[in-house]
Amino acid sequence: MITAKPPLHLTSVGLVLIPLGVVSVMSGALALAVGFSDHWAFGSKSGLLISAILVYAATLFFLGRSGIASVRGLEERANTDPLTRLPNRHALHEDIQAFSRGEDEVALAMIDLDSFKQVNDHYGHAVGDQLIERCAQLIREVCGAEARCYRLGGDEFAAVMSGKVSGTILEGMCRTLLERLGTPLTLDHRHIAVGASIGLTRSTADLRVPSSEMLRRSDVAMDMSKRGGKMRCTWFNESFDRRRERVREIEDEIRTGIAAGEFHLAYQPLVNADDKRIVAVEALLRWDRGDRPALGPNIFIPVAEDSGLINPLGLWVLRQAVCDALRWGDITLSVNISAAQLRNAEFPIKLGEVLEETGFPPHRLELEVTETCLVLDPVVAERTLAVIRSFGVRIALDDFGTGYASIGFLRRFRFEKLKLDRSLVELAGVDDGSRAMMLSSIALARALDMGVTAEGVETEEQAELVRLAGCDQIQGWLYYRALPAADIDKLIAAQGLLDAQAAGPESKDEQAA
């Protein structure tokens, strides 16, 4: 069998050297032929030699020009982003090093677009590329001739400048950029809202910082901007590194704690607003750290989310909670899920496996999500929730009243329950505007056929207020704090006994009749 030979691939150097070699060989062969031949006259021989030399020199000239152009083209491609034609990361390092040789301050801004992934998921990568080009144009306009801008890859950009007050000027440019990005960008017929989180750092003559360290610091500061709410500028601070080190320590401790069985669950009952009977319990994660300083869920859960440890930890919570709740009759079990779990494609699969293995009735399970979980990646969240609902599991929106939810948002995700945040409940008792907001939220939930739970109820006045406003369930320290599973066993048993006693006389009357 005859096999085709692979095509010959030449580099730009080969494309110059091979023709040059061929011409050299041909010119040398011609010169040798002339030198050893006795059939030509001297004048003819001399003319041929001169012609060969001229052809060789002309070839060298044109190949040299071509080679220089090729090298320049390669250098340009090596330092330029092909989509935006902005300088790239390699060029940024070179420029910072060049600026740092002088005595002036060098300032660097790391610019990361917010919600870019959602644009790609919703509109496709072609529109995403258009958005990148439009943002690059916008950054060019803001930087003007004073600062040089770069695309580092993906949705990351940078800007650098040097001068006596370069940091102040660059920060002003960044704030102008945030103002411009506050207005949706127009791409064809679409109006796309995209913000940015910006991290800033500087290097001075007294304390020069290498380019790689400047990029790291600006990246850390940019991450702090994202954590602080996005659409903001943050200067690098040495405390950020100490915080990151502490986060890494907590991450290691979480990993060890999972293996050592240090985590456990507590359950806070929810009562019926009318008769105060326990109708549901919410599973709350606790960490028994022994002699080490206590850490609340508000500290260790975000670390677990960022590190990916929330997936095994969250799966353990789900499995343990349904195993405990199996013995609590028809009581509903509420379990919180994080944004990271919701974005994990394997979470619905694992949920289905837990329900099947434990035999827990899906209609008794209620998963609580926050508005932030859904806003971060609404397309993925919608798909995941659709799969979860197909099992028969209910979805509740937690902490309502603190975020971005609108009527369209509520209709899109079709929650079975709305949980009013404790801050809204507290303010409703003392502020007319907050009371009106709470009443309108409950009316909206009713119109969309959702149940309503009031969280954080601590006084009889608050309980009466939310009861009259139309809440179905109440959760708070007024009735119960978070309790171990064994204490919930006792409460459920006592409630069952009271129900049986209350039903006793009626049963006797029915039998007598």
Side-chain angles (χ1 to χ4, degrees):
M1 186 176 69
I2 299 174
T3 58
K5 293 182 178 180
L8 182 64
H9 295 287
L10 297 177
T11 64
S12 57
V13 175
L15 290 173
V16 174
L17 292 182
I18 289 177
L20 182 60
V22 172
V23 171
S24 298
V25 170
M26 291 179 64
S27 300
L30 180 61
L32 287 173
V34 171
F36 287 101
S37 175
D38 294 329
H39 298 287
W40 291 301
F42 179 78
S44 175
K45 185 186 298 184
S46 175
L48 285 173
L49 285 172
I50 293 172
S51 298
I53 292 170
L54 290 175
V55 169
Y56 185 62
T59 303
L60 285 177
F61 174 74
F62 287 112
L63 286 177
R65 286 188 62 183
S66 174
I68 292 171
S70 297
V71 170
R72 286 176 177 171
L74 287 172
E75 288 178 347
E76 182 180 356
R77 287 194 291 273
N79 290 282
T80 305
D81 173 60
L83 177 63
T84 63
R85 308 306 301 167
L86 286 175
N88 61 14
R89 187 182 295 269
H90 183 263
L92 174 59
H93 280 289
E94 291 185 342
D95 287 347
I96 291 176
Q97 291 169 5
F99 288 143
S100 297
R101 296 189 189 105
E103 296 298 319
D104 288 333
E105 176 183 295
V106 180
L108 170 66
M110 182 80 73
I111 305 161
D112 189 85
L113 300 182
D114 298 328
S115 307
F116 178 71
K117 184 178 183 300
Q118 288 86 320
V119 173
N120 266 345
D121 290 343
H122 190 69
Y123 298 108
H125 289 275
V127 174
D129 287 347
Q130 291 180 37
L131 179 61
I132 290 294
E133 291 180 276
R134 181 70 184 88
C135 288
Q137 179 186 349
L138 186 60
I139 295 171
R140 280 195 194 97
E141 293 172 1
V142 171
C143 290
E146 293 184 285
R148 195 176 189 197
C149 46
Y150 309 77
R151 185 189 178 206
L152 307 185
D155 58 351
E156 273 193 341
F157 295 85
V160 69
M161 67 178 298
S162 65
K164 295 185 181 300
V165 288
S166 59
T168 303
I169 297 172
L170 187 60
E171 181 181 358
M173 291 178 180
C174 290
R175 297 195 182 282
T176 300
L177 176 63
L178 292 180
E179 290 177 6
R180 297 280 297 273
L181 290 174
T183 303
L185 301 177
T186 302
L187 298 177
D188 297 331
H189 60 282
R190 303 180 181 89
H191 299 285
I192 300 177
V194 60
S197 299
I198 302 177
L200 293 154
T201 191
R202 56 164 57 93
S203 172
T204 62
D206 296 334
L207 185 61
R208 281 297 178 208
V209 179
S211 60
S212 58
E213 177 63 11
M214 286 192 73
L215 260 71
R216 187 195 71 82
R217 292 184 176 187
S218 59
D219 190 61
V220 169
M222 180 270 294
D223 184 63
M224 294 302 294
S225 289
K226 284 193 177 295
R227 292 177 180 276
K230 303 181 180 180
M231 285 296 284
R232 60 192 299 174
C233 301
T234 304
W235 278 98
F236 174 79
N237 188 293
E238 295 291 345
S239 64
F240 295 168
D241 280 341
R242 292 192 292 271
R243 180 186 180 279
R244 286 166 68 91
E245 184 62 32
R246 179 56 183 146
V247 166
R248 281 194 291 269
E249 291 176 0
I250 295 174
E251 181 182 328
D252 292 339
E253 291 174 2
I254 292 173
R255 191 174 284 107
T256 303
I258 294 174
E262 295 177 351
F263 291 93
H264 65 276
L265 295 180
Y267 299 90
Q268 185 175 27
L270 287 71
V271 303
N272 184 287
D274 294 326
D275 58 21
K276 303 179 185 178
R277 293 182 69 259
I278 298 174
V279 292
V281 292
E282 179 181 355
L284 301 172
L285 183 61
R286 298 290 184 262
W287 189 1
D288 182 7
R289 292 171 51 82
D291 297 333
R292 292 170 294 174
L295 286 180
N298 60 315
I299 296 176
F300 68 77
I301 286 182
V303 176
E305 289 180 335
D306 290 343
S307 64
L309 291 171
I310 193 63
N311 292 311
L313 188 57
L315 185 62
W316 175 85
V317 169
L318 185 64
R319 187 182 298 277
Q320 183 63 46
V322 298
C323 288
D324 288 339
L326 275 171
R327 57 183 185 265
W328 296 335
D330 60 351
I331 299 296
T332 297
L333 170 67
S334 292
V335 179
N336 294 278
I337 59 172
S338 71
Q341 288 174 280
L342 209 56
R343 290 194 298 268
N344 183 0
E346 292 188 359
F347 175 72
I349 300 172
K350 298 295 184 182
L351 171 62
E353 291 175 354
V354 168
L355 293 173
E356 184 176 1
E357 292 169 7
T358 61
F360 190 82
H363 68 274
R364 284 183 53 205
L365 179 61
E366 191 172 75
L367 298 184
E368 297 186 12
V369 299
T370 63
E371 298 168 36
T372 305
C373 290
L374 307 177
V375 170
L376 286 174
D377 208 337
V379 176
V380 173
E382 193 170 18
R383 294 184 195 137
T384 303
L385 294 182
V387 176
I388 292 172
R389 279 199 178 93
S390 68
F391 299 149
V393 175
R394 294 158 53 86
I395 307 296
L397 179 62
D398 197 14
D399 299 336
F400 182 77
T402 61
Y404 328 90
S406 63
I407 295 176
F409 183 88
L410 296 178
R411 291 182 65 183
R412 176 178 181 179
F413 290 101
R414 299 180 296 108
F415 305 102
E416 281 74 36
K417 180 193 285 186
L418 214 59
K419 297 190 74 173
L420 301 179
D421 187 70
R422 63 180 303 155
S423 62
L424 188 59
V425 173
E426 290 174 358
L427 291 173
V430 296
D431 178 67
D432 291 339
S434 298
R435 187 182 302 111
M437 181 177 175
M438 184 185 75
L439 292 172
S440 62
S441 299
I442 295 172
L444 176 60
R446 291 295 180 215
L448 296 175
D449 197 27
M450 300 178 189
V452 183
T453 296
E455 295 182 292
V457 174
E458 298 181 359
T459 66
E460 288 290 355
E461 291 77 11
Q462 291 176 349
E464 186 65 16
L465 176 63
V466 298
R467 188 180 298 112
L468 293 175
C471 289
D472 305 295
Q473 299 173 1
I474 300 175
Q475 181 179 6
W477 287 1
L478 174 63
Y479 299 110
Y480 299 100
R481 293 175 179 255
L483 301 168
D487 290 348
I488 300 296
D489 290 339
K490 296 175 184 177
L491 289 175
I492 300 300
Q495 181 169 282
L497 182 60
L498 290 175
D499 291 343
Q501 291 174 350
E506 295 179 6
S507 299
K508 291 179 181 179
D509 292 341
E510 289 175 1
Q511 290 175 0

